[in-house]
Amino acid sequence: MLYRQRSLDTPTGTLETPVLFPVSNIGKRSSDNTPEYADSIPDIRTAMVNARAIRQRDPQWDRIQDGASLRDEMGVPSDTIVFADSGGFDFESGDVDTTPKQSLATQRAIGADIFGTVDVPLSPENRTAENKDRVERSTEYALEASDHHDGDALLFASVHGYTTETVANTLQYLEDNGEFDGYALGSMVPIRTDYEKVTRLILSARRATDKHLHVYGLGGIVYQPLLLYLGVDSFDSTAFIRSAGNRNYLLPGFGGIELHRIDELNHLPCSCPVCATREFDEIRKDRDLLTQHNLWALATELRRFRFMAASETDIEDYLDLRFQGNGVTERAYGIAKQQVRRLK
């Protein structure tokens, strides 16, 4: 396996990886959907924010420019390590309304520890010429950000590509021509059900650099073990929010279960602080409680993998068991295992 543990120095403190960045919707109208978690889940002192969304929410942006702390606005401790992406997902179907220099200024103003470069995600409709242009524009934006970056925070270049050659070549070009502390692989969400393709793209990025590798948007409960096995250092996720909105209960070791399929039950099976002190009906009716539980589920999945690695358990045996019984994820892991073994 390619699983690895490292430390990354950030302005706020040392980041121990692999790590999950829960997405905070601050700046978005749905900001209430991000639960308070930093004080209840001690090993998640991280957050992913959308710099563009914060800048465009005038009252909040005005307060920050007047000296307010982003972390106070979010209600998280001052030592929370913040990764601010450019909001590139908003450019998937619209025009880019910022520049690398402006994006860096926003990320700097909110006190982010990690800056993601401006990027234009690929079209999921397989428009080859258009996607080639998007890859080139994202690469140019990354190099321009490198030119303007003063080293006050970590800079991750956003990388896109629907072929392994594109991902590897783009990453190598950025490495040769810019200065980056790591790379963030994007455009994975639209193709997330194509596990073989996603796995090959991540492996091509992992092989192309030994620097920190982040994957945008794939930190859900099923993908997490695969990302860890493939040597990904960090990932972000909105799965805990989206699943709660659909009344899906995330269960470590399994996946999501629709609560409407359950008629009678006194207590849910998880022992997290949300489930341990409340009955099933209360959690089922309260979206915020379900969101909090789902984030605990993601944290538990990560803790479990770390425990297995630390106890020198054979990770491939663990994952054989982890994915057993689910044809889709079992095949996905089988594909990942074949590809990793070919590297040895």
Side-chain angles (χ1 to χ4, degrees), residues 61 64-65 67-70 103-112 115 152:
W61 179 234
I64 289 174
Q65 287 194 304
S69 160
L70 172 70
S103 185
L104 287 177
T106 302
Q107 291 161 327
R108 192 172 294 119
I110 63 178
F115 301 167
D152 50 342

Side-chain angles (χ1 to χ4, degrees), residues 4-21 45-46 48 79-84 112-116 149 152-157 180-184 206 209-215 231-235 306:
R4 62 186 204 169
Q5 294 176 280
R6 295 198 169 185
S7 298
L8 200 62
D9 292 328
T10 78
T12 298
T14 301
L15 180 68
E16 302 293 343
T17 66
V19 68
L20 166 69
F21 284 86
R45 285 296 179 97
T46 50
M48 168 71 80
D79 62 352
T80 300
I81 294 174
V82 174
F83 184 160
D113 297 280
I114 302 171
F115 301 167
H149 184 47
D152 50 342
L154 302 182
L155 182 65
F156 286 3
F180 303 101
D181 301 289
Y183 298 92
R206 181 69 289 165
T209 183
D210 191 50
K211 289 184 178 177
H212 188 102
L213 178 62
H214 180 91
V215 172
V232 173
D233 299 299
S234 64
F235 31 82
R306 286 174 175 157

Side-chain angles (χ1 to χ4, degrees), residues 5 11 20 31 59 126 170 185 196 208 227 250 270 300 303 310 339 344:
Q5 294 176 280
L20 166 69
S31 58
N126 198 27
T170 301
L185 185 62
E196 181 173 359
L227 299 182
L250 300 184
C270 177
T300 302
R303 286 183 186 183
Q339 295 178 58
K344 298 178 179 177

Side-chain angles (χ1 to χ4, degrees), residues 248-286:
N248 278 346
Y249 181 83
L250 300 184
L251 195 57
F254 292 91
I257 297 173
E258 297 170 347
L259 290 182
H260 70 78
R261 295 163 53 187
I262 304 171
D263 293 327
E264 296 182 7
L265 196 68
N266 290 329
H267 293 91
L268 286 160
C270 177
S271 58
C272 77
V274 177
C275 300
T277 57
R278 297 174 178 84
E279 293 195 349
F280 170 57
D281 272 348
E282 182 182 359
I283 297 171
R284 174 161 57 180
K285 294 174 182 175
D286 191 324

Side-chain angles (χ1 to χ4, degrees), residues 162-231:
Y162 278 168
T163 69
T164 56
E165 293 80 8
T166 302
V167 169
N169 292 340
T170 301
L171 210 150
Q172 188 60 57
Y173 182 76
L174 290 168
E175 183 74 5
D176 292 342
N177 294 280
E179 293 187 11
F180 303 101
D181 301 289
Y183 298 92
L185 185 62
S187 298
M188 297 290 101
V189 173
I191 59 171
R192 63 181 179 274
T193 57
D194 189 342
Y195 287 95
E196 181 173 359
K197 188 169 191 175
V198 169
T199 300
R200 291 185 187 282
L201 293 172
I202 292 173
L203 271 177
S204 68
R206 181 69 289 165
R207 281 197 298 260
T209 183
D210 191 50
K211 289 184 178 177
H212 188 102
L213 178 62
H214 180 91
V215 172
Y216 285 131
L218 281 189
I221 202 162
V222 173
Y223 257 110
Q224 258 197 40
L226 280 175
L227 299 182
L228 295 167
Y229 179 73
L230 296 171

